[in-house]
């Protein structure tokens, strides 16, 4: 289905016939709270919403592989231009499950894995030819094929890994693109997002089985690796690694991670060659409450028009105070550049 709108993107968000634009719940289709939480966050991101409501996606769409992207566009329209308290994501779930059969079953899934698949699917549906993209790095998920799209424009950043041989001191750089950064949680009680970032970007020493092959030495050698951001995305997504292995058992970390609502400064981790804006504001959160077997996903989203925060618990939408957004259930954090 093709949608055409006569208004500019800004007017679309502000001048709509909807009684509750952008405040529409999503029906749980049985164990699909992971999907609903991620979709609410994506459908709260102003530049992505503008792209779909403006109709620009119609001209970029590859129809032969764009069925789920079309269903996503219709869902955005229902949520922003409809007059419903909640809608069913059944159409999107159905066509998305055809491309990703693992998600066709109505069982609980990891929200981060679902998010990566949605971004990959939208990228493939809208991508335009470009040079070959880089492969992924540990801790970073990335587009898997060539081309640019609204997804790479908004979500893709680039890391550079500076690798120094400890024998000959030769230095090499390895670039890696990313859309989601998976951050380790360095404490079991309480820490800050900055602590997680420091842990991710701290220099690492590669020894024994992790040695690099140094082309200058002609053999495997110990090395240091230091990561930095060489291209900061407009929207950066952090995945807090709450699920970890301990003694052959997977467990959930309930650590309270304190994260800023605004002025998140990434400059300590950004290369001097990068001229992007380095400060970000929080715009959405995916929460996971419970344990590995009986968990439940919800979302907190900041409304682009009212600037209030809302909780999205499947079909239920509730206005919440800013203080409620800081929660120890945070799993995915969406930040948007303050320079956007």
């Amino acid at each position: 289905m093709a949608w055409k709108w006569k208004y500019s993107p800004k007017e679309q968000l502000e001048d709509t016939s909807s009684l509750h634009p952008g405040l529409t719940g999503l029906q749980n289709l049985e164990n699909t709270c992971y999907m609903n939480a991620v979709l609410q966050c994506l459908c709260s991101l102003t530049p992505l919403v503008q792209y779909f409501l403006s109709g620009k996606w119609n001209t970029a769409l590859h129809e032969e592989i764009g069925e789920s992207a079309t269903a996503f566009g219709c869902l955005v329209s229902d949520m922003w231009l409809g007059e419903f308290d909640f809608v069913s994501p059944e159409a999107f779930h159905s066509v998305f499950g055809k491309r990703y059969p693992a998600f066709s079953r109505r069982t609980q899934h990891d929200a981060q894995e679902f998010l990566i698949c949605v971004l990959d699917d939208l990228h493939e549906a809208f991508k335009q030819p470009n040079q070959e993209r880089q492969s992924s790095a540990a801790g970073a998920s990335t587009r898997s094929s060539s081309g640019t799209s609204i997804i790479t424009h908004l979500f893709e950043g680039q890391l550079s890994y500076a690798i120094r041989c400890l024998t000959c001191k030769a230095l090499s750089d390895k670039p890696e693109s990313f859309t989601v950064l998976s951050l380790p949680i360095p404490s079991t009680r309480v820490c800050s997002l900055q602590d997680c970032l420091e842990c991710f970007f701290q220099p690492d020493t590669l020894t024994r089985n992790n040695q690099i092959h140094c082309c200058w030495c002609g053999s495997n050698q110990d090395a240091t690796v230091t990561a930095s951001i060489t291209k900061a995305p407009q929207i950066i997504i952090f995945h807090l690694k709450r699920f970890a292995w301990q003694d052959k058992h997977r467990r959930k970390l309930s650590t309270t991670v304190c994260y800023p609502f605004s002025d998140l400064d990434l400059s300590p981790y950004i290369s001097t060659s990068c001229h992007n804006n380095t400060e970000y504001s929080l715009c959405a959160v995916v929460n996971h409450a419970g344990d590995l077997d009986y968990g439940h996903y919800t979302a907190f989203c900041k409304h682009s028009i009212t600037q209030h925060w809302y909780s999205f618990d499947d079909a239920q939408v509730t206005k919440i105070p800013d203080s409620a957004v800081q929660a120890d259930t945070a799993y995915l954090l969406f930040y948007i550049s303050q320079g956007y």
Side-chain angles (χ1 to χ4, degrees):
M1 181 183 297
W3 295 85
K4 301 292 185 181
W5 309 108
K6 64 181 180 180
Y7 303 115
S8 67
K10 186 174 186 295
E11 289 173 325
Q12 288 161 15
L13 297 187
E14 295 180 353
D15 184 18
T16 166
S17 61
S18 172
L19 297 176
H20 307 287
L23 297 176
T24 305
L26 293 173
Q27 181 182 0
N28 193 312
L29 305 178
E30 187 179 351
N31 294 316
T32 56
C33 59
Y34 71 92
M35 176 183 73
N36 290 348
V38 169
L39 292 177
Q40 288 289 3
C41 289
L42 290 177
C43 293
S44 74
L45 303 175
T46 300
L48 188 64
V49 172
Q50 289 177 344
Y51 179 78
F52 279 94
L53 295 188
S54 68
K56 292 180 180 178
W57 67 281
N58 285 294
T59 57
L61 181 69
H62 301 298
E63 293 186 1
E64 66 278 7
I65 57 171
E67 189 177 6
S68 55
T70 299
F72 180 85
C74 293
L75 192 61
V76 173
S77 300
D78 287 342
M79 295 169 71
W80 276 94
L81 300 174
E83 297 183 358
F84 307 103
D85 289 333
F86 66 90
V87 295
S88 172
E90 173 68 42
F92 174 81
H93 181 266
S94 176
V95 297
F96 191 79
K98 293 178 182 178
R99 284 182 59 81
Y100 298 89
F103 295 107
S104 64
R105 298 185 296 273
R106 299 193 180 187
T107 56
Q108 190 63 273
H109 291 280
D110 183 87
Q112 182 241 359
E113 295 175 356
F114 174 73
L115 170 63
I116 291 172
C117 288
V118 171
L119 293 179
D120 282 342
D121 187 75
L122 293 176
H123 169 67
E124 290 297 319
F126 299 125
K127 71 177 180 180
Q128 303 300 313
N130 193 16
Q131 66 273 16
E132 192 70 20
R133 310 209 65 75
Q134 302 293 333
S135 59
S136 63
S141 64
T142 181
R143 310 276 60 76
S144 60
S145 58
S146 62
T148 60
S149 68
I150 184 62
I151 301 304
T152 58
H153 177 67
L154 294 178
F155 298 96
E156 186 176 86
Q158 185 137 11
L159 295 172
S160 177
Y161 289 87
I163 304 172
R164 185 177 295 277
C165 174
L166 293 180
T167 301
C168 70
K169 310 303 180 183
L171 181 66
S172 60
D173 289 311
K174 181 182 179 182
E176 307 281 0
S177 58
F178 72 90
T179 52
V180 177
L181 283 184
S182 292
L183 304 181
I185 300 177
S187 172
T188 58
R189 294 186 178 180
V190 62
C191 67
S192 68
L193 180 58
Q194 291 288 6
D195 293 332
C196 298
L197 287 165
E198 287 286 346
C199 189
F200 180 87
F201 285 101
Q202 68 181 357
D204 193 14
T205 301
L206 304 180
T207 61
R208 298 181 180 180
N209 293 336
N210 294 320
Q211 286 182 327
I212 65 159
H213 181 80
C214 178
C215 60
W216 298 99
C217 296
S219 60
N220 290 346
Q221 300 292 341
D222 291 350
T224 59
V225 179
T226 304
S228 63
I229 298 174
T230 53
K231 177 180 176 291
Q234 293 184 32
I235 299 171
I236 190 165
I237 306 172
F238 298 116
H239 162 229
L240 302 179
K241 298 174 70 174
R242 292 197 177 276
F243 303 110
W245 290 95
Q246 185 180 48
D247 300 328
K248 297 183 179 180
H249 297 285
R250 199 166 182 241
R251 66 186 182 94
K252 181 185 177 182
L253 297 175
S254 298
T255 304
T256 296
V257 179
C258 300
Y259 39 89
F261 284 29
S262 62
D263 302 324
L264 172 65
D265 186 10
L266 296 183
S267 60
Y269 321 109
I270 293 184
S271 169
T272 55
S273 62
C274 177
H275 302 293
N276 302 63
N277 183 73
T278 61
E279 293 189 340
Y280 289 77
S281 293
L282 184 69
C283 55
V285 181
V286 168
N287 301 290
H288 181 271
D291 56 28
L292 292 172
D293 298 318
Y294 301 99
H296 180 61
Y297 286 100
T298 60
F300 296 153
C301 302
K302 188 174 185 179
H303 196 269
S304 59
I305 298 174
T306 68
Q307 294 299 299
H308 295 307
W309 282 92
Y310 292 85
S311 169
F312 295 85
D313 185 351
D314 291 327
Q316 184 175 359
V317 181
T318 309
K319 183 180 177 181
I320 58 175
D322 291 359
S323 58
V325 179
Q326 176 66 65
D328 58 8
T329 54
Y331 184 53
L332 297 170
L333 302 173
F334 294 70
Y335 278 86
I336 189 166
S337 171
Q338 293 179 180
Y340 179 80

